[in-house]
Amino acid sequence: MKTLDHRFTSPWRRSAAAAVAGALPVLAFPAPSLWWFAYVALVPWILLARAAPTGRRAACDGWWGGFGFMLAMHHWLLPNLHVFTFVIAALLGALWAPWGWLVRRLLGGVPSRGRVLAALVVLPSGWLAVELVRSWEGLGGPWGVLGASQWQVEAALRLASVGGVWLLSFLVVALNVAVAVLVAVRRARVPAVAGLVAAAAATGAAWVWSPRPDTGDRVGIAVVQPGVVSGRDSPDRRFDLEERLTRELVGRDVALVVWGESSVGFDLGDRPDLARRLAALSRETGAGILVNVDARGSDRPGIHKSSVLVGPDGPTGDRYDKMRLVPFGEYVPARSLLGWATSVGEAAGEDRRRGSRQVVMDTADGLRIGPMVCFETAFPDMSRHLAEDGADVLLAQSSTSTFQQSWAPGQHASLAALRAAETGRPMVHATLTGVSAVYGPGGERVGPWLGTDTGAARVYEVPLAHGTTPYVRFGDWPLYGAPLALAAWAVTEALRLRRSARGSRVPPARTAHGSPARPGR
C-alpha cells in the first residue's frame, strides 16, 4: 500500500481518485447492466480508504466517494438541475464519510483476523445505515440502492423475497470487503474466504428454503404507451393517441388497461367529455381503465397526481393520490431556503399536493390492484404494504419523458422486478414514453419491454400468485439489524479501549532491589 499512498499524496488528486472509485458501482445498473461488476466495484474505494494516513482523511475519502457515486447515479439530472446536481451529490455524499472512517478503522494497517471478521459485518451494516438515511423522501429516496443492481439475477431475486433489496445490498458490500481483503491483506485471507463461503451459503439456503410464489391463473393486462407527444396542445393530442391505441385492444381478452403517469392532463370533473370517452373505451374493450390525472382539481385545492379507475359507467370512485413526491421535480424541499433552484434549473415552480393513504382497488372482474405513481416504486415499503392489504397485482404509472435519452428509464423499469420478487406479486410498470415492463411474482420478465422508441398498446398475460413472502411477513429486518450490529461493535470497541487504558496505567512490577522488572526475567 506504500505505492498507493505515494500516488495520492496530493489531497486533490486523492479526492479525485475517491470520486472516480465511488462512481464505479453505477456500471452495474442499467443502462450498462454489468450486474456482476457490483461484486468488485467497491474494492478500489475500500483500498483507498483503508490506506488513508489518518481517520480524517479516510472520512474525506468516504465523502468524495459518496459524491462520485451520487453524481454518477443521478448524472441524467444535469440538463435539468444543472449546478444544483453537484450540490445534491455533495450533500448526499457526506453520508459516506463515517463509512470511510470505518473502513480504515477496521481494515487499516495489518488487521487481525478478528477485525476482518468484524469488517465483514460492520462495513455492510454501515453501508445499510447510509442507504436507510438517504432513503428518506426529502433526501431523494432509495434510488440507486446498491442491491438494486441485481434485479436480473435469479438467485438475488430469491434473496430479495427474504430480506428485500436491503439484504442484497448487505451481501454485495460483504463480498466487496472480502475481495478487498484477499487483494491487500494476505495474513487475513482465511476470514475473507470464510466470508465468501458464508455469502454463498446464504444464497444457497435462500434458493432451497425460501417459499416460491404459488402461481395459478393468468390475467390479461394491457399497457398503453403513446410515446413522446410535445407542444402546447400536447394533453389533448396525447389523450387522442391513447384513445386510439386503446381501441386496438377491442376483442382482446383483457381485464385491465393501464395508462401511464400524467396520461390525462385535465381534471375529469372539469372535462366530463373525457370521462364519457373513457367510459366508452371501457365498454368497448370490456375492461377497466386505470388512468393518471395530473391536473388542478375542481373539487379541492392544488395539483394532485391521481390514479383513477374508470369503468363502463365512468369513474368508479376508486382514486389514489400520489403520496411520495419527487424532490425538486414535484416540490422543492424547504422552498424558502432552496427556492433558488428554480432559477438555475427546471425545479418545480409549484409544489404538488400529497395523498394521505395507499389504496387497493377492485376491478369489475374481481382483480385487486395496488397502484403506485412513478418515484414510489423505489420504496420497498409501499409495495409491501399493498401486498399486505391484499393486492393481486402491483401497478406503477410512470413518465420519464424528461430524461428520455438517458439511463433513467431503464433504471426505473428495473425496480419493478425487485418489488415483484420482494412481495411475490406480479408488477406492471406502465409509462408514457418507455420503458414499460411487466414482471412475474418471482421478478422474472413477462413479455418484451416497450422501449423509449416505441408507441404501442400491448397485452401481457400476467401470472397471479398467492402466499406471503418472508419479506412481506417480517419487513425490513436487515435495516433493523444493521444499527444493532454497529452498536454492538461500538460497545465492544469502547470496552477494548477502556481495558487498554487501564493496562497502560498499571505501574511496572519491581524487583527486591527496587528496579523495574524486565520482560523475560
Side-chain angles (χ1 to χ4, degrees), residues 83-100:
V83 68
F84 205 74
T85 309
F86 292 91
V87 175
I88 294 171
L91 291 173
L92 293 177
L95 296 173
W96 274 273
W99 188 77

Side-chain angles (χ1 to χ4, degrees), residues 171 192-204:
L171 290 175
V193 172
L196 293 173
V197 171
T203 304

Side-chain angles (χ1 to χ4, degrees), residues 1 29 108 205 236 406:
M1 303 313 296
F29 293 79
D236 283 304
S406 73

Side-chain angles (χ1 to χ4, degrees), residues 222-226 235 238-247 249 256-265 268 274 277-278 281 288-293 307-308 372 395-398 428-432 436 457:
V223 171
V224 173
Q225 178 177 298
R238 181 181 298 114
F239 190 95
D240 293 343
L241 179 54
E242 290 163 328
E243 183 180 40
R244 187 163 63 252
L245 289 171
T246 303
R247 281 211 167 87
L249 301 170
L256 182 69
V257 179
V258 187
W259 291 11
E261 179 187 16
S262 305
S263 49
V264 179
L268 294 178
L274 298 184
R277 287 164 67 180
L278 287 168
L281 284 176
I289 301 175
L290 188 73
V291 301
N292 188 267
V293 177
S307 301
V308 178
M372 293 172 281
L395 298 171
Q397 296 174 294
S398 177
V428 177
H429 180 84
T431 72
L432 284 184
S436 296

Side-chain angles (χ1 to χ4, degrees), residues 351-419:
D351 292 350
R352 294 293 196 272
R353 301 297 181 95
R354 301 174 188 274
S356 58
R357 64 185 183 89
Q358 290 187 264
V359 176
V360 174
M361 303 177 182
D362 293 291
T363 69
D365 292 336
L367 186 69
R368 307 202 73 202
I369 59 175
M372 293 172 281
V373 183
C374 194
F375 177 61
E376 295 179 327
T377 63
F379 294 86
D381 65 304
M382 296 198 73
S383 52
R384 180 166 60 85
H385 292 322
L386 288 171
E388 286 178 324
D389 291 341
D392 299 316
V393 179
L394 303 175
L395 298 171
Q397 296 174 294
S398 177
S399 173
T400 49
S401 54
T402 304
F403 314 107
Q404 192 74 354
Q405 305 305 321
S406 73
W407 292 358
Q411 285 184 19
H412 199 180
S414 70
L415 295 176
L418 289 155
R419 304 294 86 86

Side-chain angles (χ1 to χ4, degrees), residues 288-313:
I289 301 175
L290 188 73
V291 301
N292 188 267
V293 177
D294 183 1
R296 194 175 302 278
S298 59
D299 58 344
R300 53 186 178 169
I303 301 175
H304 293 77
K305 285 194 175 180
S306 304
S307 301
V308 178
L309 183 62
V310 180
D313 298 321

Side-chain angles (χ1 to χ4, degrees), residues 332-359:
V332 176
R335 186 176 283 273
S336 59
L337 273 177
L338 302 177
W340 59 271
T342 59
S343 63
V344 298
E346 299 177 17
E350 177 183 352
D351 292 350
R352 294 293 196 272
R353 301 297 181 95
R354 301 174 188 274
S356 58
R357 64 185 183 89
Q358 290 187 264
V359 176

